[in-house]
Amino acid sequence: MKKIKKRITIVFLIGLVFASIGFPELSHAIRTDTFTGEINFNVLMDDGSVLPSGKEPKAEVDYALRRYEYTKIGAGETILINDYTNQKSIVLPHDGAGNYSHSETATATYGMKLYSTPPNVSWSLSRYLTYYNLRINNTPKYIRTISSISSVLGDYSHYTQSWDHYVAPELNENTVFSATTTNGMATIQHSNLTRTGPGNFKYTGARTASNAEHPDTVQFAVSGGAGVSGGQWNDYKYKFSSLASNGKRITFFMKGFQTVELFENESGGYLVPPTGFTYGKTTEVTEEQYTHTMNTLPTSYVQGGNTYVLQGWYQGYTKPGTLQTSNPPSITIDYTQPKSIQDFDREGHIHVVYAKSFAVNEKYVDESDTTINSGAWDTMVPIAQNAPFNGSPAATKTDSFGSDWEYVGWKVGSSGTLNTSPVTIPSVTGNEDIYYIYKSLMVISQDEL
């Protein structure tokens, strides 16, 4: 008896349907069996929590009868049938706790035969249903990514491949069970889903056996199969499962967009933020029209012996010519807009700008440079380096004892020249003491002489 030329062919099936064709067969490498094809996975938030009722994603998958037949004479091969029938889309049932599943069962005959006319002609048939084009839609629009790897819980991208192997050592011999092979930690090829628009994502599947299959087949949802290898007629019954041997089921984790708080100097360099604030602080977005408001910023603060004064803030990556000066900073982002992930990432950045400053000490003194009102009127004003300073001393003031004082003029430092012009320093390049000089308006009566 002539042996079959060595050849390897593997076909993955998800529920088979048989269509018989009659030819005089020599091989008995044909099996009839019942298969259950199941798609089963979880969709949770990045920390493993479930979205509230009403916000659950809608999972859909395409499903069809896959028909594939070919004949082979020597090195030549002719495809007889290669198509899909009974195509439909399935909305996968959701159990309310994050799990989506669906199954189909069918009895089918599959395998390969060798015929005597013409000599050495092999014929292969496969009938299988396949899940493909998996979509996870209608998630909240603020969901940024969906991945089988959680930043909190780790990797859930493994599934189990298992197949029973049947062998017919010679032609005309019935196949008998040989062994079961299992890989309980197979890994899906693409852990990250593709965002196709606000709230909509697509799973990138892979062909599980050959180019004849759909390129976006869900590889963790396969049951049934047939093949020939090693000069022997062989059949394979595949029983893939989304549950890996480590006990973790294939799970897709949703992670939302974030806002980021950053602090910088006038040149855009890193700046240690004031007390109570954290550089790079992130906040998870929880609404589709999300408003993020920072805490109120100090107008100035001291860090490393230097004083820094608030210049303003801006949203995005590029510093504009004019900064926003509202305090606290507040931004609103509409995640329902048809924008890219990069667009929303940019909109979520808040840059707070502080400039290194110097202290301008405003001191209130009398005409002999003696402090008035025990220094209670004195103030320190932080002014950014090279920025101008403009003072505005009151024309008259009343001290804590009820005495009135009248403004005379100002000078820089105790030895400076008295000025009566408006108080201004065009460019502050260091710490300065500004003296506001007042004279007493106390009137001494004739009786007090």
Side-chain angles (χ1 to χ4, degrees):
M1 183 67 65
K2 184 178 179 180
K3 295 293 184 75
I4 298 300
K5 184 179 178 180
K6 182 178 290 187
R7 171 179 174 79
I8 298 176
T9 301
I10 296 177
V11 181
F12 290 68
L13 311 178
I14 307 175
L16 306 180
V17 176
F18 172 64
S20 64
I21 301 177
F23 291 98
E25 66 173 275
L26 294 181
S27 169
H28 292 269
I30 297 295
R31 295 185 61 80
T32 298
D33 214 331
T34 298
F35 304 101
T36 299
E38 180 186 51
I39 184 168
N40 190 330
F41 59 91
N42 301 324
V43 181
L44 302 171
M45 292 302 294
D46 189 57
D47 61 359
S49 63
V50 180
L51 275 171
S53 177
K55 289 188 175 183
E56 303 97 335
K58 179 182 179 182
E60 300 176 83
V61 70
D62 292 335
Y63 188 64
L65 170 63
R66 180 77 171 86
R67 303 192 304 168
Y68 186 71
E69 299 176 10
Y70 71 87
T71 61
K72 180 177 177 60
I73 304 176
E77 180 177 299
T78 300
I79 296 175
L80 302 177
I81 297 177
N82 183 6
D83 66 5
Y84 290 88
T85 62
N86 300 332
Q87 291 175 298
K88 60 182 177 179
S89 291
I90 299 171
V91 176
L92 298 173
H94 178 244
D95 71 349
N99 181 257
Y100 295 81
S101 64
H102 176 81
S103 63
E104 294 279 342
T105 300
T107 299
T109 300
Y110 60 94
M112 298 187 70
K113 297 181 180 181
L114 186 69
Y115 295 93
S116 58
T117 305
N120 301 320
V121 174
S122 63
W123 174 64
S124 173
L125 68 90
S126 60
R127 301 288 187 269
Y128 57 97
L129 295 166
T130 180
Y131 296 101
Y132 60 98
N133 289 337
L134 173 62
R135 290 93 66 196
I136 300 177
N137 295 330
N138 291 0
T139 71
K141 305 298 191 299
Y142 56 81
I143 296 299
R144 181 185 187 274
T145 58
I146 299 181
S147 174
S148 58
I149 301 175
S150 163
S151 65
V152 177
L153 302 179
D155 190 348
Y156 279 70
S157 65
H158 301 294
Y159 67 102
T160 296
Q161 293 178 338
S162 180
W163 53 91
D164 294 336
H165 184 201
Y166 298 85
V167 178
E170 300 289 343
L171 298 182
N172 297 320
E173 293 186 18
N174 291 324
T175 53
V176 294
F177 176 76
S178 173
T180 296
T181 302
T182 301
N183 177 5
M185 294 296 288
T187 305
I188 60 176
Q189 294 187 25
H190 307 283
S191 59
N192 296 324
L193 274 64
T194 301
R195 182 177 181 270
T196 59
N200 297 327
F201 295 82
K202 179 181 182 298
Y203 172 73
T204 302
R207 292 184 174 95
T208 56
S210 70
N211 288 335
E213 294 181 274
H214 195 282
D216 268 335
T217 297
V218 180
Q219 60 265 51
F220 57 83
V222 176
S223 179
V228 174
S229 66
Q232 298 172 326
W233 289 106
N234 296 269
D235 297 339
Y236 299 91
K237 182 180 179 182
Y238 290 90
K239 301 170 291 185
F240 289 14
S241 168
S242 63
L243 187 65
S245 60
N246 62 6
K248 296 180 179 180
R249 184 173 300 284
I250 290 285
T251 302
F252 297 110
F253 298 94
M254 300 178 291
K255 189 172 179 61
F257 286 93
Q258 296 178 324
T259 60
V260 185
E261 299 176 9
L262 302 169
F263 292 81
E264 62 187 50
N265 57 30
E266 289 181 298
S267 301
Y270 166 81
L271 197 63
V272 176
T275 300
F277 294 84
T278 301
Y279 184 93
K281 176 186 176 183
T282 59
T283 301
E284 294 287 335
V285 172
T286 56
E287 299 293 340
E288 295 187 346
Q289 284 80 33
Y290 185 74
T291 297
H292 176 70
T293 302
M294 294 181 63
N295 293 329
T296 301
L297 298 164
T299 56
S300 65
Y301 71 99
V302 177
Q303 171 63 40
N306 297 314
T307 300
Y308 295 90
V309 63
L310 179 64
Q311 301 296 289
W313 61 275
Y314 64 94
Q315 180 180 4
Y317 295 156
T318 305
K319 182 181 178 181
T322 301
L323 298 175
Q324 300 189 57
T325 57
S326 59
N327 193 4
S330 184
I331 60 173
T332 297
I333 305 172
D334 183 359
Y335 289 98
T336 67
Q337 296 297 308
K339 297 179 180 180
S340 68
I341 288 177
Q342 292 73 25
D343 289 336
F344 287 128
D345 284 345
R346 180 181 63 251
E347 292 182 21
H349 279 66
I350 305 176
H351 294 254
V352 178
V353 182
Y354 278 88
K356 184 178 180 180
S357 65
F358 294 104
V360 175
N361 298 300
E362 297 178 297
K363 298 184 176 183
Y364 290 79
V365 299
D366 62 16
E367 292 173 294
S368 64
D369 289 345
T370 302
T371 297
I372 303 174
N373 201 30
S374 302
W377 294 341
D378 296 351
T379 59
M380 189 282 288
V381 181
I383 301 296
Q385 186 174 5
N386 298 319
F389 168 77
N390 297 296
S392 55
T396 60
K397 293 178 75 68
T398 301
D399 63 23
S400 302
F401 304 101
S403 300
D404 294 325
W405 297 82
E406 182 180 59
Y407 176 67
V408 175
W410 65 281
K411 61 183 180 179
V412 178
S414 60
S415 60
T417 302
L418 180 66
N419 293 286
T420 57
S421 59
V423 181
T424 182
I425 300 176
S427 179
V428 177
T429 59
N431 296 330
E432 300 284 4
D433 290 335
I434 302 296
Y435 284 76
Y436 296 142
I437 303 169
Y438 282 77
K439 67 178 181 180
S440 175
L441 294 180
M442 183 177 61
V443 178
I444 301 176
S445 65
Q446 187 69 30
D447 295 338
E448 293 175 313
L449 293 176

